[in-house]
Amino acid sequence: MSDGVQPMIDDFAKPKPRRVSVPVKIGPVTVGGGAPVVVQSMTNTDTADADATVKQVADLAQAGSEVVRITVDRPEAAAQVPRIRERLERIGIDVPLVGDFHYIGHKLLADYPDCAAALAKYRINPGNVGFKSKRDTQFSQIIDIALKHDKPVRIGVNWGSLDQELLTRLMDENASSDDPKSAAAVMREAIIQSGLLSAERAEALGMGRDKIILSAKVSQVQDLISVYADLAGRCDYALHLGLTEAGMGTKGIVSSAASMGILLQQGIGDTIRVSLTPEPGGDRTREVQVAQELLQVMGFRSFVPVVAACPGCGRTTSTVFQELAQDIQEHIRTSMPVWREQYPGVESLNVAVMGCIVNGPGESKHADIGISLPGTGETPSAPVFVDGEKVATLRGATIADDFKRMVYDYIERRYGAGATTSSTDAA
């Protein structure tokens, strides 16, 4: 390999320095300004149903959502917002609530001042805030209310509800240009201009840059990367990342990770949401888990201990290692709300559950605690490694339970109240 190639590879593999953005406070949470990338989510309950909304907000917050957005689409929903905020606080959930407003946000915020006060931030879509002569007036009314209550706003442009007047004007200008761009490029420019012009309007009305977050959502991976790369170079507002209408299941996960992973690697993005369509009756917290895992596998934040497990092959026809890996991973995730309080630093723990002797011992040595289970035809013994050293060999029908106990003992010893200084430093 030539002398010039390796530095290029090393440079490509390193995340670029975080783009410098103006920090914005959303309740107790800081977005931008070098703060860790914030995970947020949105409820899909009817906000007028306070019971269902309180439960889902609590579930999302306990799963790790640091900001939760709720729909405020009509008077019945606006009336419930202060009650939802109060009930959440009674059960110890202080996650900031963001009101999602379209079409009549100016009226709802004016008619329900308690709602305006209870929310930590307002989300405004420039394409839906009003049309023609009403647009500037109704946008101004929302900004005035935000200023009165000292609330930040997210100006969230969405390609599905783009300002048609702006888009038409840019299309006409492009058609008469000597070097016309593609329709897709013009649409991306319209998205960017919509956000920037709206932010400039908010500033002209007296809103500081430390109260403005921008987002520019599209549903195609390459479009999202292009839009945010351009937007990031044209402003220093804090940016919220999200691939809108990402879809269900693996499609939504892969699309969101591919697009936002590239942007995060480029230093772009201050807060993210993975907008997954849940399976019928599915768990809304899945989108929080995916967002956390994206940030964690890229090395930006730590949320839960990592469980490494081999994929399995013809040497691992037993399902013991799969069941053990799943059991430990699920137990860790469900235990994290309590463990965060009891075991500071436990998020950095690495556990390995391997299935045979090929890579099992080596992978287990690299983990904080790992086990190499016997593969097909191998001796029914399972060496356990702690901090790179073999400490035990488990055998018999209780291998899984014995290893789980060792994991729990390790967490208590390393991260518990009685942990030594050296162990804590090592974490």
Side-chain angles (χ1 to χ4, degrees):
M1 187 176 292
S2 67
D3 293 340
V5 173
Q6 188 61 51
M8 290 174 61
I9 294 174
D10 292 341
D11 183 63
F12 179 79
K14 294 177 182 178
K16 291 185 179 179
R18 287 281 301 282
R19 164 184 169 271
V20 179
S21 61
V22 178
V24 179
K25 292 285 288 184
I26 307 174
V29 177
T30 299
V31 171
V37 180
V38 171
V39 172
Q40 62 179 272
S41 58
M42 184 176 184
T43 60
N44 62 356
T45 57
D46 180 357
T47 306
D49 183 345
D51 290 341
T53 303
V54 167
K55 181 181 185 307
Q56 192 171 88
V57 171
D59 289 345
L60 291 167
Q62 288 167 350
S65 184
E66 294 156 305
V67 176
V68 177
R69 184 156 47 112
I70 61 176
T71 298
V72 187
D73 58 345
R74 63 193 197 279
E76 292 82 0
Q80 290 299 323
V81 170
R83 297 182 178 90
I84 291 167
R85 176 74 274 164
E86 181 182 354
R87 288 176 57 180
L88 287 167
E89 290 174 353
R90 284 207 304 263
I91 59 175
I93 303 294
D94 63 352
V95 65
L97 295 180
V98 177
D100 192 61
F101 294 100
H102 297 273
Y103 306 112
I104 59 170
H106 62 291
K107 181 171 175 55
L108 294 174
L109 287 167
D111 292 348
Y112 293 87
D114 288 346
C115 168
L119 293 168
K121 184 181 72 171
Y122 311 151
R123 190 268 182 153
I124 312 170
N125 182 339
N128 289 341
V129 74
F131 302 98
K132 297 187 181 298
S133 61
K134 294 182 179 180
R135 180 184 296 110
D136 287 347
T137 300
Q138 293 176 180
F139 180 84
S140 298
Q141 288 173 346
I142 296 177
I143 297 300
D144 286 344
I145 294 170
L147 290 170
K148 176 182 177 181
H149 291 279
D150 195 28
K151 306 292 184 180
V153 299
R154 171 157 72 93
I155 297 173
V157 185
N158 190 302
W159 81 299
S161 51
L162 191 56
D163 181 343
Q164 292 303 301
E165 286 187 39
L166 173 62
L167 180 60
T168 299
R169 177 172 62 79
L170 291 179
M171 286 289 188
D172 289 343
E173 291 175 357
N174 184 65
S176 61
S177 170
D178 293 335
D179 184 21
K181 300 176 181 178
S182 68
V186 176
M187 184 199 70
R188 292 194 294 267
E189 176 62 20
I191 291 170
I192 294 168
Q193 284 199 27
S194 178
L196 292 176
L197 290 170
S198 296
E200 290 172 9
R201 173 66 177 160
E203 285 197 64
L205 292 167
M207 179 159 281
R209 302 174 78 79
D210 62 341
K211 296 291 186 183
I212 299 172
I213 297 174
L214 293 187
S215 67
K217 291 191 174 183
V218 294
S219 61
Q220 299 299 317
V221 169
Q222 296 295 345
D223 284 334
L224 192 83
I225 295 168
S226 177
V227 165
Y228 273 97
D230 196 350
L231 180 61
R234 292 162 67 172
C235 71
D236 62 357
Y237 297 113
L239 298 181
H240 167 73
L241 300 187
L243 187 74
T244 192
E245 295 110 26
M248 299 181 73
T250 55
K251 188 268 182 184
I253 293 171
V254 171
S255 298
S256 295
S259 55
M260 288 192 284
I262 289 172
L263 290 167
L264 290 166
Q265 186 77 359
Q266 293 176 356
I268 298 170
D270 301 296
T271 173
I272 67 171
R273 180 194 172 199
V274 176
S275 302
L276 297 180
T277 303
E279 304 289 340
D283 189 349
R284 191 69 166 178
T285 62
R286 178 67 169 153
E287 66 178 46
V288 178
Q289 180 182 343
V290 173
Q292 289 180 329
E293 289 180 354
L294 173 60
L295 293 174
Q296 183 151 339
V297 299
M298 294 191 71
F300 295 120
R301 293 188 65 180
S302 293
F303 296 96
V304 297
V306 173
V307 179
C310 67
C313 64
R315 302 176 65 96
T316 56
T317 55
S318 168
T319 61
V320 173
F321 85 94
Q322 299 163 337
E323 293 163 355
L324 179 58
Q326 182 181 39
D327 194 2
I328 288 178
Q329 186 160 288
E330 288 181 355
H331 180 78
I332 285 173
R333 184 165 288 281
T334 57
S335 300
M336 279 308 294
V338 174
W339 284 1
R340 285 190 187 96
E341 303 297 326
Q342 292 183 343
Y343 305 113
V346 71
E347 297 90 349
S348 64
L349 177 70
N350 287 291
V351 181
V353 180
M354 307 304 294
C356 76
I357 62 173
V358 174
N359 294 314
E363 290 281 0
S364 297
K365 287 179 183 178
H366 291 310
D368 295 318
I369 179 169
I371 186 170
S372 179
L373 292 162
T376 304
E378 295 175 5
T379 303
S381 61
V384 176
F385 299 84
V386 173
D387 295 330
E389 301 293 331
K390 182 179 176 181
V391 298
T393 299
L394 304 179
R395 296 181 175 84
T398 62
I399 286 178
D401 289 337
D402 293 343
F403 181 65
K404 282 193 290 184
R405 278 193 292 271
M406 293 184 73
V407 171
Y408 305 153
D409 290 344
Y410 182 88
I411 291 172
E412 176 64 35
R413 185 171 65 254
R414 179 168 176 177
Y415 303 102
T420 63
T421 302
S422 58
S423 295
T424 303
D425 291 343

